[in-house]
Amino acid sequence: MTRPTNEPWLLTPGPLTTSKTTKDAMLRDWGSRDMAFLNTNRRIRSILLDLVNAADSHECVPVQGSGTFAVEAALGTLIKNTDKTLVLVNGAYGKRIARILEILGLNFTVQETPENQPNDVDALAGQLHSDPAISHVVAVHCETTSGLLNPIAEIADAVAKAGRKLIIDGMSAFGALPIDARDTQFEALIASSNKCLEGIPGLGFALIEKTALANAKGTSRSLCLDLFDQWQTMESNAQWRFTPPTHVIAALDSALSQLIAEGGPAGRLDRYKNNCRRLVNGMRALGFATLLPDTLQAPIIITFKMPTAKNFIFSNFYDHLKDQGYVIYPGKLTIIDSFRMGCIGHLTESQMSGALSAVEVALQRLGVAYPLKTPSPTNQTQRNVL
Ligand SMILES: *Cc1c(COP(=O)(O)O)cnc(C)c1O
């Protein structure tokens, strides 16, 4: 994996570094009614279902746009005005789901845990028991705000036991973290082209349980984001309703072949786990502290606590890394000051090692002594914020 000239490695949650093969797949034009394009479209829809063994139970409905477009589309298509939704929140993406429901004017309630704590399955079961009006639960598989892995299988069991429907925002998990439709019940699982699938941005999709989709006619309050209508059109003539993102789909088709060649989601997860381990160990050796204990950390993106060293100015740290060819991500937490480094994308341990050397150089340039002295978890300021 060599870096094309002037292109930094993206240690971000997406868009992220893609392979040259994926980029090369876009070097031609397709008509949207072209047979070759329609076949590609059919193939990606079927592979996306196969990745989670959902071909018998679900339909794959893609939609133009970033991941949030697909989230809004799926919620708006499946949740009726008479329904009530419980949103499990422990970060910005859960909050965004609640905001979408609010804008759609739907009835919902939120169950929130702190950003460094997983969704509380016992509390979920309790609330489903005490509020029979709740018809749907929405959960985020990997909360990209922190990098935290929520207990999605346990959540799905609790929801299924209570006879309710589960909608999963699997955006930053799909294609790497395990989920299987044959033993994890969900009404919809939503993701996008540009995270663990390592495609380019521009396409979201929802895998929707067949009966739920068939019953969704006329529910959406949007024309563009009506996944029932999108599905009907695609089923009837294999075409998209409106201009399809042809190059995004071609890139995704190539990215999916590469995913399968890597051993599918399990193979990809192995690479991400190695990346994560290398990055976390190396950063800890330099004195950085992770927000999460290893048991809650998904090998997708890692949140580091902002060092307290006087000379550590994040924007300068960021620039020094960028100069050396590595792009990292600012924090998105409300509980503490932090920054994030992703370990997904077309990257291996060799890029993680490169990033660690770049961090060391950045610390030298900032005049920050290392290993850093990290505040212990029982330190006063940490206790106040967490
Ligand atoms: C990336 C992401 C989204 C969608 O974000 P977009 O910027 O719209 O692509 C939604 N949920 C989660 C958990 C994500 O990681």
Side-chain angles (χ1 to χ4, degrees), residues 177-347:
L177 297 177
I179 185 159
D180 187 323
R182 293 173 308 191
D183 40 54
T184 300
Q185 278 185 47
F186 54 83
E187 180 168 271
L189 172 59
I190 309 154
S192 70
S193 50
N194 64 282
K195 288 187 175 170
C196 302
L197 296 176
E198 300 188 2
I200 68 151
L203 178 140
F205 58 90
L207 309 184
I208 304 178
E209 196 274 318
K210 288 182 182 195
T211 323
L213 185 58
N215 288 336
K217 186 179 166 70
T219 302
S220 180
R221 300 123 197 106
S222 162
L223 173 72
C224 294
L225 299 180
D226 185 344
L227 295 185
F228 175 84
D229 214 36
Q230 180 87 325
W231 170 63
Q232 287 278 286
T233 304
M234 226 171 257
E235 288 297 303
S236 66
N237 62 10
Q239 291 171 21
W240 286 59
R241 282 181 306 164
F242 313 128
T243 306
T246 44
H247 294 69
V248 180
I249 291 166
L252 181 58
D253 184 44
S254 168
L256 289 172
S257 304
Q258 295 165 64
L259 171 62
I260 292 164
E262 193 175 358
R268 181 143 301 176
L269 182 64
D270 281 345
R271 175 161 58 86
Y272 289 172
K273 275 183 175 166
N274 289 337
N275 286 354
C276 183
R277 194 178 306 120
R278 179 81 193 89
L279 188 63
V280 167
N281 288 345
M283 289 294 279
R284 283 181 180 153
L286 292 170
F288 289 89
T290 57
L291 168 78
L292 300 172
D294 295 348
T295 47
L296 293 177
Q297 177 72 59
I300 304 290
I301 186 165
I302 300 104
T303 300
F304 295 98
K305 296 177 185 176
M306 198 65 84
T308 49
K310 183 162 72 21
N311 288 346
F312 191 94
I313 297 159
F314 179 73
S315 58
N316 296 348
F317 178 67
Y318 178 97
D319 289 343
H320 288 311
L321 291 180
K322 175 74 197 301
D323 286 348
Q324 299 175 79
Y326 297 89
V327 172
I328 65 166
Y329 230 49
K332 204 175 183 160
L333 294 175
T334 57
I335 49 174
I336 54 161
D337 205 9
S338 62
F339 67 90
R340 293 178 289 172
M341 294 173 85
C343 59
I344 61 175
H346 190 63
L347 304 173

Side-chain angles (χ1 to χ4, degrees), residues 13-14 66-69 71 93 96 140 142-144 169-172 192 194-195:
S66 83
T68 307
F69 288 65
V71 175
Y93 292 101
R96 188 180 295 175
V140 180
C142 169
E143 203 6 298
T144 324
D169 172 350
M171 210 67 63
S172 60
S192 70
N194 64 282
K195 288 187 175 170

Side-chain angles (χ1 to χ4, degrees), residues 16-300:
L16 34 75
T17 302
T18 57
S19 71
K20 180 162 187 312
T21 310
T22 299
K23 290 188 252 283
D24 283 347
M26 292 182 281
L27 294 179
R28 60 156 285 191
D29 302 310
W30 292 264
S32 62
R33 297 173 183 215
D34 183 314
M35 213 44 192
F37 170 71
L38 297 183
N39 286 338
T40 304
N41 192 53
R42 204 174 288 123
R43 182 164 56 243
I44 62 150
R45 289 176 67 210
S46 124
I47 293 172
L48 291 171
L49 288 165
D50 288 341
L51 288 178
V52 294
N53 294 316
D56 293 338
S57 48
H58 293 67
E59 298 283 351
C60 174
V61 192
V63 66
Q64 299 94 331
S66 83
T68 307
F69 288 65
V71 175
E72 182 162 342
L75 297 174
T77 299
L78 294 171
I79 303 176
K80 302 190 194 306
N81 291 333
T82 48
D83 288 332
K84 179 172 179 183
T85 304
L86 169 61
V87 189
L88 303 180
V89 174
N90 56 351
Y93 292 101
K95 283 187 187 144
R96 188 180 295 175
I97 288 162
R99 179 79 182 119
I100 291 170
L101 295 172
E102 186 182 356
I103 288 170
L104 290 174
L106 293 167
N107 188 10
F108 72 96
T109 180
V110 164
Q111 191 174 96
E112 190 163 0
T113 44
E115 286 166 327
N116 58 344
Q117 302 285 329
N119 301 147
D120 183 336
V121 182
D122 291 336
L124 164 66
Q127 192 159 350
L128 292 179
H129 182 75
S130 65
D131 188 351
I134 294 170
S135 55
H136 291 74
V137 174
V138 188
V140 180
H141 190 170
C142 169
E143 203 6 298
T144 324
T145 311
S146 58
L148 185 148
L149 180 63
N150 278 314
I152 207 67
E154 288 83 352
I155 291 168
D157 282 349
V159 174
K161 249 190 216 117
R164 320 300 168 82
K165 307 288 187 196
L166 176 65
I167 297 176
I168 303 170
D169 172 350
M171 210 67 63
S172 60
F174 192 91
L177 297 177
I179 185 159
D180 187 323
R182 293 173 308 191
D183 40 54
T184 300
Q185 278 185 47
F186 54 83
E187 180 168 271
L189 172 59
I190 309 154
S192 70
S193 50
N194 64 282
K195 288 187 175 170
C196 302
L197 296 176
E198 300 188 2
I200 68 151
L203 178 140
F205 58 90
L207 309 184
I208 304 178
E209 196 274 318
K210 288 182 182 195
T211 323
L213 185 58
N215 288 336
K217 186 179 166 70
T219 302
S220 180
R221 300 123 197 106
S222 162
L223 173 72
C224 294
L225 299 180
D226 185 344
L227 295 185
F228 175 84
D229 214 36
Q230 180 87 325
W231 170 63
Q232 287 278 286
T233 304
M234 226 171 257
E235 288 297 303
S236 66
N237 62 10
Q239 291 171 21
W240 286 59
R241 282 181 306 164
F242 313 128
T243 306
T246 44
H247 294 69
V248 180
I249 291 166
L252 181 58
D253 184 44
S254 168
L256 289 172
S257 304
Q258 295 165 64
L259 171 62
I260 292 164
E262 193 175 358
R268 181 143 301 176
L269 182 64
D270 281 345
R271 175 161 58 86
Y272 289 172
K273 275 183 175 166
N274 289 337
N275 286 354
C276 183
R277 194 178 306 120
R278 179 81 193 89
L279 188 63
V280 167
N281 288 345
M283 289 294 279
R284 283 181 180 153
L286 292 170
F288 289 89
T290 57
L291 168 78
L292 300 172
D294 295 348
T295 47
L296 293 177
Q297 177 72 59
I300 304 290

